[in-house]
Structure formats: structure tokens, C-alpha cells
Amino acid sequence: MLTAREYHDRTSYDRRRMEPHRLNWADQPARYKTYPGAAVLPLPQVADDSDESLWEVAAGRARPAAGPLGLQQVARILARSCTLTARRRFSGGTFDYRSVASAGALYPTELYLAASAVESLAAGVYHFGLERRCLTPLRVGPVAAATGVESGPRPALSFFVSVIFYRSAWKYRQRALRYVLLDAGHLLENLLLALKACGLNGHLSYDFDDRQVAGLLGLDLECEVPLAVVVVAAPAAAPAPDEEAPGPLAVDLPAAGQVAAREVAYDLIGRAYRSGNGVYPAGAADPKQVLKLGVQTTQTHGIPTVSAGKEELSLSQALRQRRSRRNFAAERLARHPFEHLLDLVCRAAPLDRPAEPRYGAAVAIGALVGNVDGYPPGFYLLSPDDRRLARVSSGELTTAMAAACLDQMWLAAAAVHFLFMVNLSALDACWGARGYRYAMLGAGRIGQRLYLGATALGLGCCGIGALYDDEARRLLGLSADAGLLYLVAVGSVRGR
Ligand SMILES: Cc1cc2nc3c(=O)[nH]c(=O)nc-3n(C[C@H](O)[C@H](O)[C@H](O)COP(=O)(O)O)c2cc1C
């Protein structure tokens, strides 16, 4: 067994003990999962030129969908969840960027769906092929009862987000579990927003029987693991599905999870994953403790609900234009965009508040303000439920934080660093090692929301997972059992 705290501590970076690592290009992981010889189903073309506002969608006020679920709608949800957005050419070929951010552009995530009641799509389990925009049928037959989630609505359609460890471990080695969880959160947020934009309510679960889901999707749990299930409920009036078992899996599908000829299995990743590989009931400890960072707050600001500006991009434009931008201009950020971003983080629709509150509340959110109009520089904590921002300490800390982020000094010019923190000991006490997933997936989700919000407002944004962990913790004054999990820098950028 390995607790969340042990895994986090043992994969911390320390500037005095960094091990040099050369990438093994001969075993560079394949970026796309393929199923050689399998028939594929092309997805219909969908033009996404809708003008919905990200803020409206995030608040769950999008127009409701008309009619039953169809293949066109599934194609739109998938396109909004993840799509190729930009192509870079280099001497050895091309590289495609995506609408989701990913640490090191390694893209460990995969997306699957199980259809029970979708017009023009036979019931069964499918893998989403991003590069070719197609579905690969993995099983045909009834799947409604096979999502691995014990409670929740009867599904018409379920989505599964998984990660392939080696894609990230190739570069980040033992630390890669952190990145794959954050990356999965980024993709999940796009998926949840896509569902909301279609007027669909998704029931999110991080708690399911991993083996059952892996069996359903044909995953080899040594290489690829499921992290989230999102169920779209069947209408109450729909006939109940028969109890037949799903059809058989094509024989060698688990091998498709292998992405390089010689993969290295990192023991801390395997142990940390297996330690959280169970369903943990709530109630072992008070969930509020996971937000206790050992800091005191003083002055608080209320967060206004901000109305959209004329220049703001729509959600679909922001998805297409989202990129990581590092050329921050050392400029003061106006109050309106900062509060607009805080408002976006606070907009939690019922989708984010499932029966179990753990997913929304497993990570503390802060802001290191460097240069924002009306907000003196300092460290602040955000309380999304009561829409308040409370000051922890005063003073300019973004330069020191840039140094704590592996000396990525361009971060010092960003107006604000959003921070995702947790009390790791409390996380373990509350939910066991699986709690690490809740905190990291939550941080990734809000990170993606910030990327989209910043893009919509014409600002630059970049997620940062590279930290000298203890240095960052001490800089913020967090207690020894707390840690900074992720940072997302936002500010004006040059040349826009
Ligand atoms: C979890 C996570 C951690 C990241 N860490 C860093 C980082 O430490 N430094 C950095 O420059 N970019 C970082 N990035 C940004 C990625 O490098 C970037 O998303 C990737 O190269 C793809 O480019 P794009 O975001 O422009 O599409 C991170 C992104 C994510 C999602």
C-alpha cells in the first residue's frame, strides 16, 4: 500500500536532488490508440459555430436539447470534449495540438462510450478515435447495467475517461501519476461542459469498480486505467433494458493499450494506483479537513457575478483557440477579467454537486495575486460555495513562486497564479489513497475551465505541474501535511 501522501512526497522535486533524465526516443509512446484490423465507424461532421457563453454553460443555463439522443449529438459532444486544433510541422513529421492542455503535450488520456439508447448507434461499447474522428466498436450488445457505478441513474449513454501511464511516464517517470490525473481532469471538464452545452445532465462518478470498467472497455490495468465515468440518464419513460450480458470483447483488445515496444513500469505509480483501487465509502473522517492548509485568513472580498463583455469569445471559439501561452506581459490585469475568472470557478451547477460532495470539495483553490487592479499583491484563498476570496498574506510572491516552479521565471510576469492545494494527510484519512484522484481530477477540471476562461477573455494561460514541492509549500506557509498540487498562471500576453 502507498498512501496519497507517501506517493506525493516520494515524487517531490527538490532543486538539490534533481536526477538528469534523457528521453529514450526509440521508445517514444504512440500518441493515438489504435486497434489494428478493427472496423471503424466514421462520426458525422459537425460544424461547431454556436455562440454559447462559457459562463452560461458553466452555470448550467444552456438551452435544453430538443429530442432524443442521436449520433449527431454524440459527435458534437466528442468534438467538444477533445479535438485537434493546430498542426506544427517539423523535419520528422507533424504534431497536432488539442483543445485540452496536457503536461508535456504527451496526451495520456483516452475516451470511450457505452451507448444504450442513441439513435443510429447500435448498443455497445466504443473507443473514440480522435485522430480519425471515428468510433471503434469494442463490444456490441446491451451495456446499460455494466458501467461499474453502483448507484446513479439508468444510463442512455455513458462516457469513460482513462489514462495510459507510459505516455506520461516516458518523460516524467515516477511523478507521472500526478500528470495523468491532472490531464484527465482537463479532458473531463471539456466533456462535462460539452454535455451541459447540449442541455444534458451528466452524472459524474470517480467511484466504480475499476476491474469491472477495465473489463468492459478491454483495458489492461497494468498499462491503462479508468478514472471517471459520466452517465447521461435515460428518460424515465424509456423502457428498462433487458438484463442480457454485454457481447464479447474482441480478443486482443487489451494489447491495444501498449504504446511502445519496451515500456517501463514505474513501481510507485503501480503501487499508488493499486492502493486507491477500491471504492471508498465516505464518513471515515470529516471531508472539510482536506481543505485545512494550516493558514489563517484575514480580510475577505465578495465575488460579484460579472456580466459578459462584448469582446468575449464563445465557448466553441475558446475551445478552438485555447493554447498554453508563456509570453506574459508584466501588465496590470483589470479587475473585471480577474473577477470574471473567479466567477467562472465559482459557477458550479448541480452537475458538480453529485450526491457525494467529495468531487467538488476535495481541493482547496487559491490565488497568488501579483498585479491585479483593486487586489493588493498577496496569497488569497477562494471559497467557491460562499463566493468569497480571503487574504492569507500580503506581498509580491509570484517571482519567488516562479523560482519554485523549476525556475520558469517567465511566470513572474503573469498577473495571477491560481493555486490548487490539499491537506494530503486528511485526504488519506478521509478517502484512502483514492482521494488523491478526487483532488487531482478536481484541480485539472478547474485548470481547464481557467484555460478556456482566459482564452475567452483574450488572456494568456499556462498550467504548471513542475514544482520544487517543498519550496512551494514553504513559500505559501502551508503546514507540513499540505501541498501545492498544481498552478495555473493567467495574465496579459505580448503580441495579441
Ligand atoms: C498538468 C499540466 C502541467 C503542465 N506543466 C507545465 C509546466 O510546468 N511548464 C510549462 O511550460 N507548461 C506546462 N504545461 C502546459 C503544457 O506543456 C501544454 O499544455 C502542452 O505543451 C500542449 O500545448 P497547448 O496547451 O498549447 O495545447 C502543463 C499542462 C498541464 C495540463
Side-chain angles (χ1 to χ4, degrees):
M1 288 291 279
L2 200 61
T3 62
R5 173 139 192 228
E6 283 165 340
Y7 172 77
H8 197 79
D9 287 350
R10 290 177 65 177
T11 56
S12 287
Y13 283 156
D14 180 331
R15 67 168 73 233
R16 293 157 305 179
R17 284 194 291 275
M18 294 299 281
E19 289 170 16
H21 175 53
R22 276 238 185 110
L23 292 177
N24 173 4
W25 290 100
D27 283 315
Q28 183 183 14
R31 282 192 297 273
Y32 300 105
K33 184 170 183 180
T34 54
Y35 297 88
V40 297
L41 185 73
L43 283 163
Q45 288 290 341
V46 281
D48 194 356
D49 48 8
S50 56
D51 58 0
E52 290 132 333
S53 145
L54 167 60
W55 278 260
E56 295 233 325
V57 173
R61 287 202 297 269
R63 287 183 295 276
L69 275 174
L71 189 55
Q72 194 83 16
Q73 205 171 20
V74 170
R76 177 164 288 114
I77 293 164
L78 291 170
R80 283 184 164 187
S81 301
C82 193
T83 193
L84 303 180
T85 53
R87 171 159 289 185
R88 182 163 60 90
R89 290 177 202 284
F90 58 97
S91 53
T94 56
F95 182 87
D96 290 327
Y97 289 90
R98 308 184 185 187
S99 52
V100 276
S102 164
L106 295 167
Y107 304 114
T109 49
E110 295 290 338
L111 193 53
Y112 300 81
L113 58 91
S116 295
V118 179
E119 277 181 4
S120 315
L121 185 63
V125 178
Y126 300 84
H127 170 260
F128 171 49
L130 170 66
E131 188 182 28
R132 294 168 63 193
R133 299 209 42 72
C134 62
L135 294 176
T136 304
L138 306 181
R139 291 176 186 273
V140 280
V143 286
T147 60
V149 181
E150 274 175 20
S151 57
R154 185 156 56 78
L157 174 65
S158 307
F159 293 88
F160 304 84
V161 173
S162 76
V163 290
I164 297 181
F165 289 138
Y166 186 66
R167 287 216 186 106
S168 293
W170 175 65
K171 179 172 179 190
Y172 297 116
R173 297 176 288 169
Q174 304 279 24
R175 196 174 159 98
L177 181 62
R178 298 176 176 218
Y179 297 106
V180 298
L181 293 173
L182 291 167
D183 277 10
H186 278 263
L187 173 63
L188 189 57
E189 183 64 6
N190 270 6
L191 169 63
L192 293 168
L193 287 170
L195 289 169
K196 284 188 199 179
C198 288
L200 296 170
N201 218 353
H203 179 95
L204 167 64
S205 182
Y206 301 153
D207 289 330
F208 44 81
D209 181 333
D210 290 33
R211 281 185 201 85
Q212 191 183 337
V213 174
L216 181 73
L217 305 179
L219 312 183
D220 173 356
L221 282 178
E222 295 295 312
C223 311
E224 181 177 358
V225 301
L227 292 175
V229 178
V230 179
V231 169
V232 178
D242 40 31
E243 292 301 315
E244 269 177 73
L249 193 62
V251 182
D252 58 356
L253 292 188
Q258 189 168 351
V259 288
R262 280 168 305 152
E263 297 185 358
V264 181
Y266 289 92
D267 65 315
L268 292 184
I269 296 179
R271 283 173 59 201
Y273 166 71
R274 285 191 297 275
S275 302
N277 187 356
V279 178
Y280 288 83
D286 177 8
K288 288 204 182 73
Q289 295 301 319
V290 304
L291 307 181
K292 296 270 184 280
L293 307 172
V295 294
Q296 300 295 325
T297 54
T298 53
Q299 211 183 345
T300 67
H301 300 250
I303 297 163
T305 305
V306 181
S307 49
K310 283 205 180 61
E311 308 286 292
E312 196 174 297
L313 299 183
S314 67
L315 170 59
S316 61
Q317 287 169 318
L319 280 166
R320 283 196 297 273
Q321 295 185 27
R322 185 218 61 81
R323 289 296 305 279
S324 295
R325 299 184 207 279
R326 301 172 181 83
N327 54 336
F328 290 110
E331 269 173 23
R332 178 161 290 242
L333 180 67
R335 196 180 179 120
H336 178 274
F338 179 58
E339 291 179 343
H340 216 23
L341 289 173
L342 293 174
D343 178 30
L344 181 63
V345 174
C346 294
R347 286 190 181 215
L351 183 70
D352 301 323
R353 296 274 180 268
E356 280 296 341
R358 66 183 77 172
Y359 313 139
V363 68
I365 307 168
L368 211 53
V369 170
N371 197 0
V372 178
D373 202 22
Y375 288 82
F379 171 27
Y380 296 77
L381 277 181
L382 178 66
S383 175
D385 284 342
D386 26 297
R387 300 181 63 92
R388 297 204 75 78
L389 192 66
R391 178 123 48 101
V392 177
S393 59
S394 304
E396 197 275 320
L397 288 176
T398 46
T399 306
M401 184 54 88
C405 293
L406 264 64
D407 296 311
Q408 301 184 77
M409 294 315 296
W410 44 269
L411 284 168
V416 56
H417 297 170
F418 286 94
L419 308 168
F420 300 93
M421 298 152 292
V422 80
N423 184 316
L424 289 149
S425 305
L427 204 58
D428 280 313
C430 204
W431 297 306
R434 202 171 180 103
Y436 199 55
R437 302 190 192 183
Y438 310 153
M440 294 295 252
L441 288 161
R445 283 190 55 195
I446 301 163
Q448 179 69 12
R449 215 179 246 222
L450 285 167
Y451 258 108
L452 295 174
T455 308
L457 297 174
L459 299 170
C461 181
C462 190
I464 300 292
L467 308 160
Y468 295 126
D469 296 86
D470 209 42
E471 208 170 302
R473 181 188 66 74
R474 279 186 280 111
L475 179 66
L476 297 170
L478 309 185
S479 61
D481 44 10
L484 175 62
L485 306 177
Y486 189 37
L487 181 152
V488 176
V490 176
S492 306
V493 283
R494 294 187 297 271
R496 284 180 73 86

